[in-house]
Amino acid sequence: MAHGDANHHHHHHLFISTLFLLLSFSGADDTTVMSDLRTSLSPSPSTWKTDDFCTWDGIKCDNNQVTAINLATRSLTGKLPPTLNHLSQLKTLSLQRNSLSGDLPTLANLTLLEQVFLDSNNFTSIPPDFFLGLTNLQTFTISDNSDLAPWTLPNDLTGSTNLVTFQASNANIMGSIPDVFDSFPSLQSLRLSYNNLTGSLPKTFSGSQIQNLWLNNQKLGLSGTLDVLSSMTQLAQVWLQANAFTGPIPDLSKCQDLFDLQLRDNQFTGMVPPSLFSLPKLANITLRNNKLQGPMPVFQQNGIESDVSSNSFCLPKPGACDPQVTALLQVAGAIGFPMALAESWQGNDACQDWSFVSCDSSEKNVTTVNFANRKFSGTISPAFANLTSLRSLSLNENNLVGSIPKILTSLPNLQIFDVSNNNLSGPIPEFKNVRFSHDGNPLLGQDVPTGPNGPPGSDPGSPGSGGSGSPPGKSKGSPVSGGMIAGIVIGVLVFLGIVLFVFYKCCAKKRHEKFGRVENPEIGKELMKASVVGSSSNGYGGGFSELQSQSSGDHSEMHVFEGGNVVISIQVLRQVTDNFSPNNVLGRGGFGVVYKGELHDGTKIAVKRMESGVMGTKGLNEFQAEIAVLTKVRHRHLVALLGYCINGNERLLVYEYMPQGTLSQHLFEWSDHKTPSLSWKQRVSIALDVARGVEYLHSLAQQSFIHRDLKPSNILLGDDMRAKVADFGLVKNAPDGKYSVETRLAGTFGYLAPEYAATGRVTTKVDVYAFGVVLMELITGRKALDETMPDERCHLVTWFRRVLISKENMLKAIDQTLETEDEETLDSISKVAELAGHCTAREPFQRPDMGHAVNVLGPLVEQWKPSRPEEEDGYGIDLHMSLPQALQRWQADEGTSRTFDMSFNQTQSSIPSKPSGFADSSNLSHTSSVTVDAIREVDAIHGRVEIIKEGDPVKAVFIDRMSG
């Protein structure tokens, strides 16, 4: 017994010492790995001086073994050591938002690892066994690692059964989404946007717990239908935009938590399912740019943000479709809304070039539907019975299933009905006086059970399929005679006809009263002149009378609205642009195509033609209201918006024409256009013009605007090479220049302020950032993003801010075409470079406002010298004279035809007043008719006016007296 005890004691000692050895080896292992980590990171954190890694900043240990590495947002570069998976006790690896690069080491068999954050780095590859044995993994993020070599989602991941969050957007993933989601019972967030995924949604999504599903913007596009979403009852946010999905939008009535549904820019067909309107939490839906049909949906009644533009809805506004169109769309629904029909069946007239449909010429009634040999699958819709003029119906050589609806026997004019060579079943209906062919359907005449709704997914009455939705008895052939149906249909049509006639008469009368028809061209000319605020100062004095008098004699086409904005008919715009001829294209951008137009007198205009999708969720009224404001926003450095047109889904904007094109052409493409490159004087003058235009948008116009897409292609030049800012017609309206506005990301990469790109929050400082980028482009002659450059020079802002540190570098960065011999030019360039640096500061509060940019650039532009010596004191205006006197004097000197009638607006403007900040503020004497609006009108033509105090008297000070 004693001997046994001693033996046991010996074994116990051996076990303890072995365990101690193992632990010390493991500790030694961690020591080696952490030492490798310290040498491979650059710079390694400053606290990592001692050898005791458990005291290092960002490292957590338990029993001298590393359990967490937390090094997020430390500006780290360098690589990760290949031995990282030797840290056997590691639970958290947090390295996001650094600049780490190189190959990722495997994390295989780190069985305790729960959280891995690798997003926003520059890693170059991911090993194939990376996810092997990560049985406790809950959160994994590797988004925004666009340098990764292409990789596929590995099957090893199925071992991570506790996965809750998997985010890998913009990480160069290719291939299909593997069908393994039954392995992840706890998965809530799946984010794989901006990759190169292809194929369809995996079937194992069905019944999953996923709440946030982001698969948008795949390069080639995910495809197939969205049917699987119907059973994903936990869904809250679904981003599938910019893919190649097809088929109808499924019934999502079980997804009661859905609040955000992004389906724009796909190939969806069919009608919008009614179930979407009753989702209790839906707050945002985009369906723009698909092939959706039927009536235009209206989501606004519950305060839902929606964008349904650029589809194939039957009408350009909400309202019921023509009865024949409705019937044919129900027919298409029963066969799954195939693309062949979606692309052709547009508009509200089935007799106007609809494929497979023929009509009689006199009555515009559908007489033939020919689907023969189209490989359509689905069922025969009982809605064919609503096409009462149908004589011939050919459905042969397809893959149709289910029964032949008995109600089709009631079609009064049917002569030919061919369903041969399909897979139909059920009873054979009896047709009288009809050539009925049904061979090649071996199951026809037998009652084949196909579930409660016929074959799966083919229920002709289901909301998503657009089926007839008639009571079940009807399709089985209830005793309704053909005459009775014809009578009902005719009665309904007559009633609709009467209602429409009365409605048309009322509307025509009201419209006549509200706007006044422009019957007489001469009166029309006067109205047009009056309606364009200050048009004569643009050289467009008779512009719109000219436009109007060309409109094919129908002068009722054009209406003059209150407030000075002009609605121009599409016919007129077609005429002046030679039917939007490709020869007249001035440019193309994210907002559409711009065409040159020419009036009879030779005056040129620019017509921007865009899909209404560009306007985001703006309804017609909102669009008109915004245009009403923008046609009044006048400034010598903003391209004048002269009018607009709404034509179906299109919005057309008419601008003044700028003969010298864009700054982009003169800065980057001057040799292609065989024009001289811009001199430094021209460049700094353009910069000042742009600064003044944007400053006016931010703080001086009646409402404060944020441009959001300032870049050289939106800066236009006149023959004098003076600049005007364009495309501010689609700016985001700010409630006040200071407030931040949540908005969907607009703008162009390379010009996006970091906080805007990261959060979508926008203030006037995003324009200041973009302006800083434009200044850098003017100095270097280089584009904001240049893919042809090596990585470290590709992004202009990053590279330029490094260059700013030394003057020697600065000289090398200056555009080689600039003459920089004289000290004055170099001094001017360095001042602009410094301003560019401030404008592109990382934090918005570190950037100046546009007024500061104007003050820096103003003195660098050579001052204009008047020709008469007595005008040296600023146009001979005494700064203490009253505003009306000053205005009269200006008019006299300018010889301008524009009259400043001081009574044009007696109401006080609502913009926030601004403190002056200028020592020489003058208290201008006033008359009661002078308002802040009047001062602002002066500003628009002659410079800047700083409003110090609104009210009576108006206090203001003129700044930059008439300079430039």
Side-chain angles (χ1 to χ4, degrees), residues 15-88:
F15 173 73
I16 293 288
S17 53
T18 308
L19 186 63
F20 180 75
L21 267 170
L22 280 170
L23 282 172
S24 58
F25 263 123
S26 159
D29 222 4
D30 282 16
T31 305
T32 312
V33 178
M34 296 308 286
S35 171
D36 291 349
L37 182 63
R38 178 165 60 181
T39 52
S40 58
L41 290 182
S42 156
S44 60
S46 54
T47 61
W48 290 20
K49 297 286 186 269
T50 67
D51 287 338
D52 183 1
F53 53 80
C54 291
T55 63
W56 294 356
D57 186 26
I59 306 300
K60 282 187 184 165
C61 290
D62 191 4
N63 286 336
N64 213 35
Q65 289 191 275
V66 177
T67 57
I69 298 176
N70 292 312
L71 297 172
T73 322
R74 301 281 186 114
S75 305
L76 298 173
T77 58
K79 303 182 177 183
L80 297 180
T83 53
L84 200 63
N85 73 327
H86 293 184
L87 299 174
S88 60

Side-chain angles (χ1 to χ4, degrees), residues 181-249:
F181 287 86
D182 47 356
S183 302
F184 310 119
S186 307
L187 185 63
Q188 293 178 8
S189 176
L190 180 65
R191 188 167 203 158
L192 300 170
S193 316
Y194 292 94
N195 281 302
N196 205 359
L197 292 165
T198 50
S200 56
L201 297 182
K203 290 189 176 62
T204 49
F205 270 177
S206 179
S208 75
Q209 299 297 301
I210 294 174
Q211 296 169 14
N212 295 330
L213 181 66
W214 293 288
L215 303 173
N216 49 294
N217 296 80
Q218 304 300 326
K219 283 180 192 141
L220 295 171
L222 291 161
S223 54
T225 72
L226 299 190
D227 292 347
V228 74
L229 295 190
S230 297
S231 58
M232 297 176 74
T233 55
Q234 304 296 315
L235 285 173
Q237 189 172 39
V238 177
W239 286 10
L240 300 175
Q241 67 266 30
N243 276 295
F245 290 114
T246 52
I249 297 168

Side-chain angles (χ1 to χ4, degrees), residues 712-960:
S713 55
N714 284 338
I715 295 165
L716 303 183
L717 302 172
D719 277 328
D720 54 359
M721 298 308 276
R722 297 304 299 267
K724 297 192 184 198
V725 178
D727 258 351
F728 64 90
L730 297 168
V731 290
K732 185 80 183 175
N733 184 206
D736 172 320
K738 297 185 252 323
Y739 284 73
S740 176
V741 181
E742 284 285 0
T743 174
R744 252 180 254 134
L745 204 60
T748 306
F749 286 114
Y751 302 88
L752 289 182
E755 77 279 5
Y756 182 26
T759 66
R761 291 183 77 77
V762 54
T763 64
T764 51
K765 293 299 178 76
V766 303
D767 286 347
V768 176
Y769 183 93
F771 178 70
V773 182
V774 172
L775 292 180
M776 291 176 181
E777 292 178 307
L778 286 165
I779 292 167
T780 61
R782 272 188 45 196
K783 290 183 179 175
L785 276 182
D786 190 345
E787 302 294 350
T788 62
M789 288 280 184
D791 283 355
E792 70 276 4
R793 298 183 62 177
C794 150
H795 184 231
L796 179 59
V797 174
T798 315
W799 172 74
F800 192 89
R801 286 174 68 84
R802 281 205 302 271
V803 163
L804 273 177
I805 297 163
S806 80
K807 196 145 192 181
E808 293 70 43
N809 285 351
M810 192 70 240
L811 283 169
K812 292 178 199 158
I814 296 170
D815 189 342
Q816 298 303 297
T817 62
L818 288 175
E819 291 175 16
T820 54
E821 273 70 52
D822 65 300
E823 199 58 39
E824 195 184 341
T825 303
L826 274 177
D827 186 46
S828 172
I829 291 174
S830 70
K831 280 179 181 157
V832 176
E834 188 186 354
L835 175 62
H838 291 312
C839 288
T840 54
R842 185 164 183 83
E843 298 297 335
F845 70 86
Q846 297 171 325
R847 297 174 210 143
D849 56 25
M850 290 307 294
H852 174 79
V854 171
N855 293 336
V856 171
L857 295 167
L860 302 180
V861 177
E862 189 174 0
Q863 297 295 310
W864 173 78
K865 294 286 187 288
S867 51
R868 301 205 300 270
E870 68 272 19
E871 284 193 355
E872 278 298 338
D873 58 348
Y875 283 97
I877 292 171
D878 173 2
L879 284 170
H880 297 278
M881 66 169 67
S882 74
L883 258 178
Q885 290 168 329
L887 289 167
Q888 280 170 347
R889 183 61 197 263
W890 263 327
Q891 277 170 246
D893 285 349
E894 287 275 291
T896 172
S897 59
R898 177 165 175 160
T899 58
F900 287 93
D901 171 11
M902 281 307 164
S903 61
F904 75 93
N905 186 351
Q906 295 303 325
T907 58
Q908 289 295 332
S909 159
S910 61
I911 71 152
S913 55
K914 296 172 54 179
S916 141
F918 290 88
D920 63 340
S921 303
S922 314
N923 185 358
L924 294 168
S925 59
H926 72 287
T927 63
S928 60
S929 64
V930 178
T931 65
V932 175
D933 283 328
I935 296 174
R936 206 170 279 115
E937 283 292 327
V938 182
D939 159 69
I941 309 300
H942 292 285
R944 299 189 302 136
V945 177
E946 190 81 20
I947 309 294
I948 302 164
K949 180 173 80 67
E950 300 193 359
D952 193 6
V954 175
K955 266 194 178 180
V957 56
F958 293 100
I959 305 160
D960 283 1

Side-chain angles (χ1 to χ4, degrees), residues 268-318:
F268 293 118
T269 55
M271 297 195 264
V272 176
S275 58
L276 280 182
F277 299 97
S278 54
L279 289 173
K281 295 184 181 173
L282 192 64
N284 194 7
I285 180 168
T286 65
L287 305 174
R288 179 175 87 231
N289 200 17
N290 280 291
K291 311 274 185 191
L292 295 167
Q293 299 156 284
M296 180 184 278
V298 184
F299 289 96
Q300 276 70 23
Q301 73 275 26
N302 300 328
I304 297 170
E305 281 278 308
S306 65
D307 182 357
V308 299
S309 54
S310 303
N311 276 290
S312 306
F313 299 125
C314 60
L315 294 166
K317 58 182 186 299

Side-chain angles (χ1 to χ4, degrees), residues 540 547 570 572-589 591-599 603-611 639 642 650-658 716:
Y540 287 99
L547 279 176
I570 188 69
V572 170
L573 294 181
R574 284 203 176 105
Q575 274 183 309
V576 299
T577 58
D578 195 11
N579 203 12
F580 300 110
S581 158
N583 300 335
N584 283 335
V585 171
L586 289 170
R588 298 171 195 276
F591 288 146
V593 185
V594 184
Y595 297 87
K596 183 162 76 171
E598 189 160 338
L599 311 180
T603 307
K604 294 184 179 66
I605 55 172
V607 181
K608 178 182 298 177
R609 188 183 194 187
M610 17 176 221
E611 292 288 355
V639 173
L642 303 173
E650 287 183 318
R651 309 278 185 272
L652 296 98
L653 299 176
V654 181
Y655 290 99
E656 65 176 313
Y657 172 69
M658 297 293 286
L716 303 183

